[in-house]
Amino acid sequence: MLADIVNHVIGIDPDRDRVTASLVEASTGGELATATFETTRRGYGELVAWADRATTAALRAWAVEGSGSYGSGACAHLGAVGEWVIEFGHPRTAATGDGAKTDALDALRAAREVLGRADLAIPRARGDREALRTLVTTRRGAQTARTAAINELKALIVCAPVEQRDRLGNLTTAAQVAKCAGFRLPAGRFDELTATKQALRSLARRINTLAAEVADLDVPIRRIVETVAPQMLDQTGVGPISAAQVYIAWSHPGRFHNEAAFARLAGVAPLEASSGQNTRHRLNRRGDRQLNRALHTIAVTRARTCPHTQAYIAKRIREGKTPREARRCLKRYIARQLYRLLQHPPTNT
């Protein structure tokens, strides 16, 4: 337990403009002090100086809530000065028994809860991993907006005047976008047909702009992946986007205890749901859903193109599993394979 290793734990509850710290004695769980600091470089420096006046750096740990969002700045600063930072995830208890909730109480809860934990999570790395996360998140937003614009374009075509719908209805999506983007509008007319053509042209040009944005983001994503994890791109079905998402979740060596913990984060480790003499498993719908989606994309691609994967799925089906269950087994296998490639990358000799 953490209480056997350190003398003090400092819980951090971050907000946008400030962080609230609670200093807790490890042996008793009692709160010794609390303070608030700004989320600036100077504020983080004052936070560490405040801790130095009351504790010894080698015998303390920091429990930071929201290390991937509001707490990321505090995590980065504390890690840079050599502090032991622990990621505090979902609370297991209420801040107080009577329902009271303040930043100081949340910071105190973070410190006290990690004292009783044996499995301590290390915050995700920054650097290349954070660069990938930023690019992939932005790309996902552009892709989502592009899909929404395409759906809106198609819905507008269905409701367009008959002569316009006849010209566009039987075309492919790419042809519809190209045709609508090139519409010319007659000057001085504001009837239904002209308004519809203008709306279609606006949507088509928006789709093209978002497609160009996605393509621009693909370039740095591929370059970073080729630098930090080129071995993943050698695997069947693993493209730059899927590889980037897996790397973002994995983060760095030592974040996960083993490949089973990584599979559990990905939501591909079945949850046991036994009762009496009946033993069965249930699909895990929690964890990192973007990582789960990346593994699903890889699995579908392999099932379509890789003979070894097709033989594996056929074997599982002969054992009595449904095609869907066989695909779940495949995703678990892929999670294990990619974790080992990241944890122990091959060396070039």
Side-chain angles (χ1 to χ4, degrees):
M1 294 295 180
L2 182 63
D4 301 325
I5 304 174
V6 299
N7 290 340
H8 300 90
V9 175
I10 304 170
I12 299 293
D13 181 70
D15 287 320
R16 188 190 64 179
D17 301 319
R18 64 181 185 178
V19 295
T20 302
S22 174
L23 175 62
V24 173
E25 188 174 17
S27 60
T28 64
E31 185 178 40
L32 302 179
T34 183
T36 300
F37 305 90
E38 294 182 351
T39 54
T40 61
R41 181 178 300 179
R42 178 180 178 180
Y44 294 141
E46 293 174 349
L47 170 64
V48 176
W50 171 77
D52 287 339
R53 289 193 293 270
T55 65
T56 303
L59 296 175
R60 70 185 179 216
W62 302 74
V64 182
E65 187 174 0
S67 60
S69 54
Y70 285 149
S72 60
C75 283
H77 182 88
L78 293 172
V81 297
E83 297 287 339
W84 182 11
V85 184
I86 299 168
E87 178 181 330
F88 178 68
H90 299 290
R92 298 174 182 173
T93 62
T96 61
D98 58 4
K101 186 181 185 305
T102 65
D103 293 342
L105 288 173
D106 288 342
L108 176 60
R109 174 177 57 183
R112 286 176 173 171
E113 281 204 24
V114 298
L115 279 172
R117 294 184 181 181
D119 297 332
L120 305 175
I122 303 173
R124 293 176 174 87
R126 296 188 68 86
D128 291 328
R129 183 255 169 207
E130 182 63 15
L132 270 180
R133 187 197 67 82
T134 302
L135 293 169
V136 169
T137 301
T138 304
R139 182 189 186 277
R140 187 185 308 127
Q143 189 69 49
T144 300
R146 179 177 177 272
T147 301
I150 290 174
N151 292 337
E152 189 175 350
L153 178 79
K154 289 184 172 295
L156 192 56
I157 290 173
V158 171
C159 301
V162 175
E163 59 269 29
Q164 196 66 57
R165 188 174 63 183
D166 289 345
R167 293 176 58 192
L168 300 171
N170 295 326
L171 300 178
T172 63
T173 299
Q176 287 175 339
V177 172
K179 189 77 172 178
C180 293
F183 278 161
R184 293 183 179 181
L185 305 177
R189 292 182 57 183
F190 302 100
D191 56 6
E192 178 187 1
L193 180 60
T194 303
T196 302
K197 291 177 66 176
Q198 183 168 0
L200 290 170
R201 186 177 70 174
S202 177
L203 284 169
R205 292 180 178 179
R206 185 190 308 170
I207 292 167
N208 289 335
T209 299
L210 291 168
E213 181 179 337
V214 170
D216 288 342
L217 291 168
D218 285 342
V219 176
I221 290 174
R222 172 179 279 278
R223 288 178 180 174
I224 296 175
V225 171
E226 289 174 344
T227 301
V228 299
Q231 69 275 20
M232 291 215 298
L233 297 178
D234 296 332
Q235 305 304 308
T236 303
V238 182
I241 305 305
S242 297
Q245 192 63 62
V246 174
Y247 185 86
I248 290 168
W250 173 77
S251 181
H252 59 274
R255 174 167 167 78
F256 296 93
H257 296 288
N258 49 43
E259 54 87 14
F262 181 72
R264 190 175 182 86
L265 174 70
V268 296
L271 301 176
E272 187 172 352
S274 304
S275 178
Q277 302 299 318
N278 297 322
T279 301
R280 61 188 183 89
H281 293 82
R282 145 185 332 126
L283 178 65
N284 185 355
R285 298 187 181 278
R286 297 186 179 182
D288 188 331
R289 303 316 299 172
Q290 295 302 327
L291 173 59
N292 185 279
R293 180 181 181 181
L295 295 178
H296 180 79
T297 300
I298 297 169
V300 170
T301 304
R302 288 189 180 184
R304 188 175 63 248
T305 61
C306 179
H308 295 292
T309 301
Q310 293 167 356
Y312 174 84
I313 293 176
K315 175 184 175 182
R316 290 295 187 179
I317 292 176
R318 287 196 301 270
E319 292 174 351
K321 297 186 180 298
T322 66
R324 189 175 184 182
E325 291 172 338
R327 194 181 306 116
R328 293 175 191 166
C329 295
L330 176 61
K331 290 165 68 174
R332 177 66 177 85
Y333 170 84
I334 294 171
R336 180 186 303 113
Q337 179 192 41
L338 296 182
Y339 172 82
R340 291 176 178 175
L341 281 174
L342 289 169
Q343 197 73 8
H344 308 288
T347 56
N348 296 324
T349 57

